């Protein structure tokens, strides 16, 4: 039985194929990050909700809650429709997961800490006032977090771990 012929791929074809794989991966990663409009939308809804709750007026609280629920649902549906495929958690890795958790914890700690401090000082609507820098943090930090996650995902080896 004759030995099998080894197929040789010219280096230029291998380079082109690898470049195509990298381009496709960048396209998939970019298609699945949270879009920029999500951050200001979420920040605005949070401000609306907290202000409504702090008003203490029953109908304002109810209306604000309904608007928040429907608004956030619409944002999430928009994000889900924006994403054409789902990114596997392994692609984000530990660094990406820690970045997401750190971002969320930083914003929560800043908002809660500032809110309690403002309440102790007797500032009216302390939670709403404390949420303003948190909302700005979402608007500015959210896209930066997405850029970081994109870099993390694109830096992962093509073959996985």
């Amino acid at each position: 039985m004759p030995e099998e012929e080894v197929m040789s791929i010219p280096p230029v074809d291998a380079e082109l194929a690898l470049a195509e794989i990298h381009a496709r991966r960048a396209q998939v990663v970019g298609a699945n990050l949270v879009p920029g409009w999500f951050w200001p939308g979420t920040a605005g809804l949070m401000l609306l909700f907290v202000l409504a709750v702090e008003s203490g007026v029953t109908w304002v609280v109810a209306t604000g809650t309904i608007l928040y629920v429907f608004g956030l649902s619409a944002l999430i549906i928009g994000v889900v429709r924006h994403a054409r495929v789902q990114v596997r958690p392994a692609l984000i890795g530990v660094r990406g997961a820690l970045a997401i958790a750190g971002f969320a914890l930083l914003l929560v700690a800043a908002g809660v800490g500032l809110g309690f401090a403002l309440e102790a000082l007797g500032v009216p609507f302390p939670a709403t006032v404390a949420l303003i820098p948190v909302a700005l943090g979402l608007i500015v930090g959210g896209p930066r977090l997405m850029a970081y996650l994109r870099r993390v995902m694109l830096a992962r080896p093509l073959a996985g771990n």
Side-chain angles (χ1 to χ4, degrees), residues 119-137:
E119 184 177 33
L121 293 171
V123 174
F125 296 95
T128 303
V129 174
L131 190 57
I132 293 170
V134 173
L136 291 173

Side-chain angles (χ1 to χ4, degrees), residues 2 14 21 37 76 87-88 93 110 112 129 139 153-154 156 159 161:
I21 290 169
W37 48 261
I76 291 170
V87 173
R88 293 176 28 215
V112 169
V129 174
I139 293 167
M153 289 188 277
L154 291 177
R156 306 272 302 168
N161 296 340

